[in-house]
Amino acid sequence: MSSTLDHAIRQKLRAIPDYPKPGILFQDITPVLGDSVLLRDAIGEMAGPFLVAGVTHVAGIEARGFILGGAMAVALNAGFIPIRKPGKLPFKARRREYALEYGTSVLEAHEDAAGPGNRVLIVDDVLATGGTAAAAAQLITELGGEIVAWSFLLELGFLGGREKLEGASVRSLVLL
């Protein structure tokens, strides 16, 4: 990635202290999303390495992963898999509980979202402790899909989340 894009993303980020809980410094990407040129360039950089990787599906993690993942699916000519919070999917769903840096949560995917022969790129806005991304990967592999890689807009490297993501490459545009 160009240092210009890295700098532009860093300049647009908005740090929100004590959100969603005291002691957490939340990195708000909505100013990045609101800049059409920056959003286009970020999506291009995130999708670029996977143009020849045989990705059949992009799994976006609710909620900001939907925004980035949907655009990446279009760029990669791939299908989109929504990874959702509990109770949001209308069809039969598989679920996975996981630990966050500030508690626990659950993710769900439709039972027929991925299967044998599906090569899945998992996308989210931020890699923090890795629990969310690892849970998404477990869901996809339980359904029979193969994880090609993970792609994130931001990575909070000091939290060590990358270590929880095994078996495929991890790519982050900006390391904080």
Side-chain angles (χ1 to χ4, degrees):
M1 176 177 70
S2 76
S3 61
T4 304
L5 181 56
D6 180 89
H7 179 73
I9 291 171
R10 288 173 187 272
Q11 291 300 313
K12 286 283 186 172
L13 290 175
R14 183 171 37 214
I16 310 291
D18 299 321
Y19 182 84
K21 295 189 177 194
I24 302 294
L25 182 62
F26 183 81
Q27 295 296 328
D28 181 11
I29 69 161
T30 55
V32 175
L33 300 176
D35 183 319
S36 63
V37 172
L38 192 53
L39 177 60
R40 180 201 63 214
D41 292 349
I43 294 298
E45 283 290 323
M46 290 177 74
F50 308 106
L51 289 170
V52 295
V55 171
T56 63
H57 293 80
V58 173
I61 301 171
E62 187 171 347
R64 291 166 302 276
F66 284 8
I67 298 163
L68 300 170
M72 288 178 65
V74 171
L76 296 171
N77 195 32
F80 181 76
I81 299 170
I83 305 290
R84 305 246 17 214
K85 294 173 185 169
K88 302 282 186 176
L89 294 170
F91 187 64
K92 296 175 192 171
R94 181 90 41 105
R95 61 189 289 128
R96 171 64 63 177
E97 186 171 334
Y98 64 100
L100 295 166
E101 62 271 25
Y102 48 83
T104 61
S105 193
V106 175
L107 290 178
E108 294 184 341
H110 279 146
E111 288 184 348
D112 61 355
N118 293 153
R119 293 178 44 80
V120 181
L121 172 64
I122 297 176
V123 175
D124 206 359
D125 63 329
V126 178
L127 172 58
T129 63
T132 304
Q138 289 170 347
L139 277 171
I140 296 299
T141 56
E142 285 173 10
L143 295 172
E146 174 190 352
I147 306 304
V148 173
W150 287 270
S151 183
F152 303 95
L153 181 66
L154 310 176
E155 180 176 347
L156 307 179
F158 62 93
L159 291 175
R162 183 177 286 260
E163 286 78 45
K164 289 186 181 170
L165 307 180
E166 300 175 351
S169 68
V170 178
R171 186 163 191 282
S172 302
L173 281 191
V174 176
L175 179 61
L176 298 177

